[in-house]
């Protein structure tokens, strides 16, 4: 029953053609899924992390002096964010609505390309 | 003393948006949302008619009045409140297994004072959270507060203040994709100037909105929304809607349709909403077309009982495979008496259907709800 609209999916391209830019990742993926009222919004700042806007989210994920471990530029295997998103030896984030694998792959591509803020 | 203790309990618990129950529109003989609610598009505090309906047709009986009729309020004053608690089993495929938790979900108090055609409405409560971390003071909120001019329950009205702009089905369950991903998630109420006309045969709501300047949550766009609903006979209603919002670096244009059909012999109400959203990201020049739908059937098989089956989809980018999510929900609700609701809600989620890496998630939630 959940696969009813599968014919619509088949109309989409097979590959992800989205650019791995951080403003897009925040606006299209992190804010709607993670920056909810009780989680990583300005209101709640759960875990000390705020993901409402690209500028603040970049600082929180990389650390104010670039020494944070949620995101390590160029090194996905050292970036804790990916383990949380994939629930690999870590609690699942977001805890109520896991991200699709292609969205996590886009974030991984952004990290691999240096995790630039723009 | 008992009232004071109740207030303390309410304040110590947590809040979530208190929207209406569109499942009762058409199905209980009420054509308009504002037959049961003070708000012109429904939601929030219920009026005398709504309290009578809660006791006489929706629940298994009792006295639906404020404080069960112990204190009869003057006609210019409306008071009420919602208290919810829930237990949750949440399985999202984490290596440490499913999450099992219990939490206060909602604690809101409502007050409405009316002087002739004018009324002031204020809600006060505490934000709810499955995993609360914010300080107590930061969790104090007023989800809704507005001043309204409305000479009669039918006819024109004007409203200014904080609330959700009338749009869509306005479901109570904020997990619904048409709420969560269209700008109507918990505490995403905007500040608005809204006006319209509500009649038995049709209603029109037009709203200009801007986000909360102090504690914004979600998409921080300013813009306008229009919702027009027409009813055909006593069992069918259809609506068209549009919304436009501009935020810093992000512009959304959306439109959709809503349908409500009551199948009287089967005691079942069908609810449908679908929207297309065009979103443009200014910084990158990228854009995407989103699609969301909700299909619901609510079956009131006996007085005091309702079963709902819902199918939902949110596809945040129709041009990219594997980003959509589907949900199949089943909810069983029991209204043993006026003021009380017990529900069991289950959700199966499929994330990234159609891709090789699709995953699943399951939720089971038991909820107890009491309203003043």
């Amino acid at each position: 029953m959940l696969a009813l609209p599968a014919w619509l999916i088949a109309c989409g391209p097979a590959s992800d053609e989205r650019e791995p830019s951080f403003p897009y990742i925040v606006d299209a993926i992190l804010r709607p899924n993670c920056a909810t009222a009780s989680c990583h919004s300005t209101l709640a700042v759960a875990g000390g992390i705020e993901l409402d806007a690209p500028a603040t989210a970049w600082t929180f994920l990389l650390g104010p002096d670039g020494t944070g471990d949620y995101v390590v530029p160029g090194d996905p295997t050292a970036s804790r964010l990916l383990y949380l998103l994939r629930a690999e030896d870590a609690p699942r984030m977001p805890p109520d609505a896991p991200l699709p694998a292609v969205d996590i792959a886009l974030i991984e591509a952004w990290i691999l390309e240096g995790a630039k803020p723009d | 003393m008992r009232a004071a203790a109740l207030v303390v309990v309410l304040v110590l618990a947590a809040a979530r948006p208190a929207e209406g129950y569109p499942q009762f529109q058409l199905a209980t003989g009420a054509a308009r949302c504002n037959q049961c609610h003070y708000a012109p598009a429904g939601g929030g505090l219920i009026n005398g008619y709504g309290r009578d309906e809660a006791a006489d047709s929706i629940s298994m009986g009792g006295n639906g009045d404020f404080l069960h009729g112990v204190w009869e309020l003057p006609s210019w004053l409306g008071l009420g409140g919602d208290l919810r608690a829930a237990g949750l089993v949440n399985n999202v495929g984490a290596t440490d297994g499913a999450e099992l938790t219990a939490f206060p979900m909602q604690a809101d108090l409502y007050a409405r004072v009316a002087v002739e055609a004018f009324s002031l409405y204020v809600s006060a409560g505490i934000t709810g959270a499955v995993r609360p971390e914010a300080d107590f003071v930061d969790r104090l909120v007023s989800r809704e507060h507005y001043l309204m001019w409305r000479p009669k329950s039918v006819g024109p009205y004007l409203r200014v203040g904080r609330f959700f702009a009338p749009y869509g089905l306005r479901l109570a369950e904020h997990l619904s994709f048409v709420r969560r991903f269209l700008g109507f998630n918990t505490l995403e109420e905007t500040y608005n100037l809204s006006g319209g006309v509500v009649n038995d045969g049709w209603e029109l709501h037009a709203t200009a909105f801007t986000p909360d300047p102090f504690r914004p949550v979600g998409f921080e766009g300013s813009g306008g929304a229009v919702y027009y609903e027409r009813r055909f006979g006593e069992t069918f209603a259809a609506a068209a809607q549009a919304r436009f919002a501009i935020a810093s670096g992000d512009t959304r244009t959306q439109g959709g349709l809503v349908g409500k059909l009551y199948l009287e012999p089967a005691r079942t109400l069908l609810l449908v909403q679908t929207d297309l959203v065009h979103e443009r990201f200014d910084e990158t020049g990228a854009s995407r077309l989103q699609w969301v739908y909700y299909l619901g059937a609510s079956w009131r098989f006996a007085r005091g009982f309702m079963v709902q089956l819902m199918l939902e989809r949110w596809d945040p980018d129709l041009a990219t495979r594997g980003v959509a999510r589907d949900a199949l929900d089943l909810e069983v609700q029991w209204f043993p008496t006026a003021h009380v609701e017990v529900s069991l809600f289950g959700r199966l989620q499929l994330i990234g259907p159609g891709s090789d890496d699709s995953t699943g998630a399951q939720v089971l939630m038991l909820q107890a709800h009491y309203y003043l």
Side-chain angles (χ1 to χ4, degrees):
Chain A
M1 195 167 183
L2 290 178
L4 272 178
W7 62 275
L8 275 169
I9 300 164
C11 299
S15 59
D16 188 351
E17 296 176 354
R18 299 174 296 174
E19 290 292 326
S21 82
F22 193 59
Y24 178 85
I25 287 169
V26 171
D27 289 341
I29 299 172
L30 298 183
R31 190 173 56 210
N33 290 288
C34 312
T36 56
S38 59
C39 294
H40 301 298
S41 61
T42 307
L43 183 66
V45 199
I49 297 172
E50 190 179 326
L51 300 175
D52 285 286
T56 51
W58 191 84
T59 303
F60 277 105
L61 290 176
L62 280 85
D65 51 3
T67 57
D69 65 349
Y70 282 108
V71 168
V72 178
D75 191 354
T77 57
S79 298
R80 194 148 66 99
L81 175 65
L82 294 175
Y83 292 90
L84 290 163
L85 296 176
R86 291 182 170 132
E88 292 174 351
D89 299 322
R92 172 79 76 179
M93 289 291 158
D96 60 335
L99 293 184
V102 287
D103 282 349
I104 300 172
L106 190 71
I107 295 169
E108 183 172 19
W110 165 70
I111 293 172
L112 202 57
E113 291 182 11
K116 298 185 183 75
D118 49 15
Chain B
M1 185 66 185
R2 284 174 60 191
L6 185 57
V7 169
V8 170
V9 169
L10 285 167
V11 169
L12 287 175
R16 76 165 194 172
E19 292 300 293
Y21 285 72
Q23 295 85 355
F24 297 143
Q25 189 187 4
L26 305 178
T28 61
R32 298 173 272 112
C33 296
N34 79 339
Q35 278 178 249
C36 293
H37 294 267
Y38 287 109
L45 187 62
I46 53 176
N47 57 29
Y49 179 87
R51 289 181 178 279
D52 287 344
E53 280 296 297
D56 297 339
S57 66
I58 292 170
S59 74
M60 299 177 79
N63 186 332
D65 292 344
F66 177 67
L67 289 178
H68 302 260
V70 170
W71 177 24
E72 188 174 345
L73 297 172
S75 60
W76 55 267
L77 179 63
L79 297 173
D82 279 299
L83 177 65
R84 292 177 199 254
L88 182 75
V89 182
N90 185 35
N91 180 21
V92 287
T95 49
D96 53 356
E99 176 186 29
L100 178 63
T101 184
F103 59 99
M105 178 181 272
Q106 176 184 16
D108 275 328
L109 294 174
Y110 316 117
R112 174 186 180 270
V113 176
V115 179
E116 297 183 347
F118 292 91
S119 61
L120 177 67
Y121 180 94
V122 177
S123 77
I126 301 175
T127 59
V130 182
R131 309 156 196 88
E133 292 187 26
D135 293 339
F136 178 80
V137 172
D138 288 338
R139 293 173 59 198
L140 294 172
V141 293
S142 173
R143 291 184 308 100
E144 292 188 317
H145 39 265
Y146 57 81
L147 182 66
M148 183 165 69
W149 169 80
R150 186 180 63 173
K152 295 179 181 176
S153 60
V154 292
Y157 76 90
L158 280 174
R159 191 162 55 139
V160 60
R162 181 184 160 117
F163 48 89
F164 280 127
Y167 191 91
L169 286 169
R170 307 186 291 283
L171 299 158
E173 185 48 72
H174 70 95
L175 290 175
S176 300
F177 294 163
V178 290
R179 281 201 54 188
R180 172 160 183 170
F181 295 114
L182 287 186
F184 302 97
N185 201 355
T186 305
L187 291 170
E188 292 185 3
E189 289 91 348
T190 49
Y191 279 92
N192 316 282
L193 173 60
S194 186
V197 179
V198 178
N199 288 315
D200 284 337
W202 60 275
E203 57 190 86
L204 172 69
H205 307 275
T207 307
F209 59 83
T210 193
D212 186 326
F214 307 108
R215 296 198 293 181
V217 177
F219 177 69
E220 297 174 29
S222 298
V226 178
Y227 178 86
Y228 173 73
E229 179 174 311
R230 184 171 177 81
R231 290 174 275 275
F232 303 88
E234 296 179 347
T235 57
F236 177 57
Q241 55 193 1
R243 198 164 182 257
F244 175 76
I246 301 177
S248 175
D250 194 343
T251 303
R252 291 186 187 183
T253 308
Q254 70 190 67
L257 299 169
V258 170
K260 306 167 185 177
L261 175 63
Y262 183 53
L263 305 172
E264 197 158 4
R267 307 182 71 170
T268 299
L269 180 69
L270 304 179
L271 295 171
V272 179
Q273 180 181 343
T274 184
D275 279 271
L276 280 172
V277 184
H278 179 267
E279 187 170 20
R280 178 179 167 77
F281 304 98
D282 296 340
E283 283 194 53
T284 60
S287 64
R288 63 177 180 172
L289 188 62
Q290 305 178 49
W291 181 44
V292 62
Y293 74 71
Y294 171 97
L295 300 172
S298 56
W299 177 37
R300 295 173 65 229
F301 61 93
R303 183 174 165 183
F305 292 91
M306 183 162 69
V307 175
Q308 295 188 71
L309 184 65
M310 297 146 279
L311 180 65
E312 304 176 67
R313 158 162 284 224
W314 180 54
D315 190 331
D317 190 345
L318 287 171
T320 303
R321 183 178 298 190
V323 295
R325 63 180 69 229
D326 292 322
L328 180 65
D329 306 332
L330 179 68
E331 184 168 17
V332 181
Q333 286 155 287
W334 176 38
F335 306 91
T337 181
H339 297 275
V340 177
E341 172 193 2
V342 178
S343 88
L344 186 64
F345 174 87
R347 160 171 281 194
L348 300 175
Q349 242 190 117
L350 185 60
I351 297 133
S355 72
D356 297 335
D357 302 315
S358 63
T359 56
Q362 303 86 38
V363 169
L364 187 66
M365 181 171 67
L366 180 65
Q367 181 188 148
H369 173 208
Y370 176 83
Y371 74 87
L372 280 176

